[in-house]
Amino acid sequence: MSQFISVFDMLKIGVGPSSSHTLGPWRAAEQWILQLKENNNFDLVDAIQVDLYGSLSLTGKGHATDLAIQLGLSGADPEYLPIENIATIIDDIKEKKVLSLNGEKEVPFYKESIVFNRAFLPFHANGITFRGFFNGDEISTQTYFSIGGGFIVQENDHLEEEIEINKKNFPFPINRALQLEEYCEKENLLISDIVLLNELELNSAEHIDKELHRIWDTMLECMHTGCHTEGRLPGGLNVKRRAFDTHKKLIKDTSYTNPKEWLTAIRSTEVKFREILKWVSCFALSVNEVNAALGRVVTAPTNGSAGVIPAVLMYYMVIENHEADFSHVKKFLLTAGEIGSVFKKNATISAAMGGCQAEIGVSSAMAAAALTELLGGTAAQCLSAAEIAMEHHLGLTCDPIGGLVQVPCIERNSMGAIKAIHAAEIALETDPKEALVHLDSVIDTMWETAKDMNKNYKETSEGGLAVTVRIVDC
């Protein structure tokens, strides 16, 4: 049996800059509050300490982990919290040295309430422990691990929230890419069709459409926001936003009043090869600039790689097919989500475990497969496109300067998007039966590469660009 991972698990709406270092700890804080209530400790707790371990500690401040924990403990929802309220909540805690636990009761909260430990816990590089006290005695201790993409697991209970998929409860149990390919060939269905049939076992068609609409609307809004916001990103690197200037040159004098009209306006612009490259880069950069500024994005499959999938989907919408509508968006997201889930089941989508190959590499593979389906490729060609995209990200390290999801992270989304488009084109001109490497093989290789990779290159900011380029020199 294999674990069922929904497209809505792979594509989550949340707040930047990191799914593993921001969204994961945020959700862990929410989970701890629920457990306090279940154990009848919530009303007793009069003091809190949060311990961060490993990568969460080493790059936590650059990834806003400390802010996410405070927001989660305060009862704010990353999916719906107005972005402009974040600073107000954090400033209020800092000034009063008091946190409103779940918005229900006040407890003291100081800078020292969050402890950054360099040590790594055994199970995963992203460990976090919540401690609750009453009259000086520790009455609650819970450890969680943020395992990438906003997924969290609790210590000694790694499969608690996961669904086992088998023929009894899902028509198409999928663990490996080869199984997915065989289903498609046997049933004469597209990848998106197979994925939808599994999803329908959990939710109605109306609910699925509604949530996919919401995901796409969030992606489109994110690109629109990034392309219309100038200035510099927070964090100390003084990074200039580039999507604004690129977009201004490309859009010229075209008029529009909202994101949907903007999409239509882009379709009327010049589309020579250089302009196409610039548009794709602009879309990817825009998303990750929003992400770096604690904006709302969709994990795809992570926040650090959130720009690849929207950029490639937008490319299809405004360059390849001007008649594209929600039906195309739906197929793209369903296919992309399933490819991401196969990577998660057999390898990792956490940079703290596998380097950037686990984020940008996976997102590029997801986008390549999804684009190939929309361009008329077979299921085998879709999987071939995913393999090609990942093959050329193998060994990519995660070395964010200053622990910030900015350099080289933002540009890598642009490169991942371009590689995805190129991989799709190569796959469409290839007979998959003649390919020497199957997607399952490259996923296995990625995982072995991840295990061999030095920890300095796994989101610790202790190697690579993070060391050779000092933040004080920026």
Side-chain angles (χ1 to χ4, degrees), residues 4-12 149 151 299 301:
F4 180 74
I5 300 175
S6 168
V7 63
F8 302 114
D9 294 322
M10 297 305 302
L11 305 173
K12 303 183 185 77
F151 289 87
T299 65

Side-chain angles (χ1 to χ4, degrees), residues 106-396:
E106 292 188 341
V107 295
F109 201 89
Y110 312 98
K111 181 180 179 181
E112 298 76 19
S113 297
I114 299 179
V115 181
F116 292 80
N117 303 279
R118 296 181 66 86
F120 285 71
L121 297 181
F123 174 66
H124 194 279
N126 292 331
I128 179 170
T129 299
F130 294 90
R131 306 180 195 277
F133 301 85
F134 174 63
N135 288 339
D137 294 326
E138 193 167 319
I139 60 172
S140 174
T141 304
Q142 299 291 346
T143 297
Y144 301 85
F145 296 95
S146 181
I147 61 175
F151 289 87
I152 59 169
V153 293
Q154 193 170 349
E155 189 176 34
N156 301 322
D157 199 9
H158 306 151
L159 298 177
E160 182 181 32
E161 300 299 327
E162 296 173 354
I163 302 171
E164 293 296 332
I165 178 170
N166 55 56
K167 280 290 185 182
K168 294 180 181 179
N169 53 12
F170 292 96
F172 302 105
I174 299 167
N175 187 51
R176 304 286 280 178
L178 184 59
Q179 291 174 306
L180 176 59
E181 183 177 345
E182 290 173 347
Y183 290 141
C184 291
E185 290 181 355
K186 181 180 179 181
E187 304 293 333
N188 193 28
L189 294 172
L190 300 172
I191 291 176
S192 59
D193 296 327
I194 295 292
V195 179
L196 180 59
L197 289 170
N198 277 340
E199 292 286 346
L200 285 168
E201 294 298 318
L202 295 179
N203 293 295
S204 67
E206 293 76 17
H207 178 81
I208 291 170
D209 282 357
K210 176 184 176 183
E211 290 304 298
L212 289 175
H213 260 297
R214 201 159 66 91
I215 287 169
W216 169 238
D217 288 344
T218 302
M219 288 180 171
L220 183 60
E221 178 69 33
C222 184
M223 287 185 280
H224 181 268
T225 298
C227 285
H228 294 82
T229 305
E230 57 184 328
R232 296 187 180 272
L233 296 172
L237 289 182
N238 203 32
V239 173
K240 184 179 184 296
R241 289 177 179 260
R242 286 176 288 176
F244 179 88
D245 290 335
T246 300
H247 173 262
K248 188 175 181 180
K249 293 175 183 176
L250 290 169
I251 200 69
K252 297 184 173 65
D253 298 324
T254 309
S255 60
Y256 50 89
T257 60
N258 57 57
K260 291 184 179 179
E261 288 183 7
W262 175 60
L263 187 154
T264 301
I266 296 171
R267 287 173 169 168
S268 69
T269 62
E270 191 175 28
V271 289
K272 293 180 181 178
F273 181 68
R274 289 187 67 200
E275 279 71 27
I276 293 172
L277 287 177
K278 290 176 183 178
W279 270 121
V280 174
S281 294
C282 183
F283 298 144
L285 294 175
S286 67
V287 171
N288 286 85
E289 287 173 357
V290 170
N291 179 64
L294 277 75
R296 179 156 285 118
V297 299
V298 178
T299 65
T302 67
N303 282 28
S305 60
V308 176
I309 285 174
V312 175
L313 178 49
M314 191 69 161
Y315 158 79
Y316 179 80
M317 302 282 284
V318 301
I319 303 296
E320 285 292 336
N321 183 4
H322 286 195
E323 303 302 316
D325 54 23
F326 175 70
S327 66
H328 300 87
V329 171
K330 180 177 179 178
K331 288 177 179 293
F332 189 100
L333 296 179
L334 288 170
T335 299
E338 187 59 46
I339 298 302
S341 75
V342 174
F343 271 96
K344 186 181 184 302
K345 292 170 189 174
N346 296 283
T348 182
I349 58 170
S350 166
M353 290 294 285
C356 201
Q357 61 173 354
E359 295 201 23
I360 294 296
V362 174
S363 63
S364 186
M366 293 166 66
L371 178 61
T372 301
E373 179 171 308
L374 291 188
L375 293 176
T378 64
Q381 287 176 319
C382 292
L383 299 181
S384 180
E387 182 278 320
I388 294 168
M390 170 51 77
E391 184 178 320
H392 300 289
H393 282 94
L394 287 174
L396 186 61

Side-chain angles (χ1 to χ4, degrees), residues 407-466:
V407 181
C409 321
I410 295 174
E411 283 183 356
R412 282 183 178 171
N413 280 265
S414 173
M415 301 303 292
I418 296 298
K419 283 186 180 181
I421 295 169
H422 195 184
E425 293 299 335
I426 293 175
L428 287 167
E429 298 300 322
T430 302
D431 181 353
K433 293 180 181 179
E434 295 182 355
L436 295 180
V437 183
H438 192 271
L439 178 57
D440 285 330
S441 297
V442 87
I443 293 174
D444 293 341
T445 302
M446 191 206 92
W447 184 226
E448 290 303 316
T449 304
K451 290 187 286 186
D452 288 340
M453 190 180 289
N454 187 294
K455 72 176 182 64
N456 290 351
Y457 303 103
K458 296 181 180 181
E459 208 165 2
T460 59
S461 286
E462 294 186 322
L465 288 173

Side-chain angles (χ1 to χ4, degrees), residues 31-76:
Q31 185 64 33
W32 182 57
I33 288 174
L34 289 176
Q35 291 191 322
L36 284 176
K37 292 191 172 188
E38 289 174 2
N39 296 331
N40 297 316
N41 285 327
F42 181 82
D43 293 331
L44 296 175
V45 168
D46 57 19
I48 293 171
Q49 178 179 310
V50 183
D51 284 277
L52 301 178
Y53 297 94
S55 179
L56 279 188
S57 173
L58 293 168
T59 62
K61 290 186 178 179
H63 288 66
T65 305
D66 50 344
L67 306 187
I69 289 167
Q70 294 174 67
L71 292 164
L73 292 174
S74 299

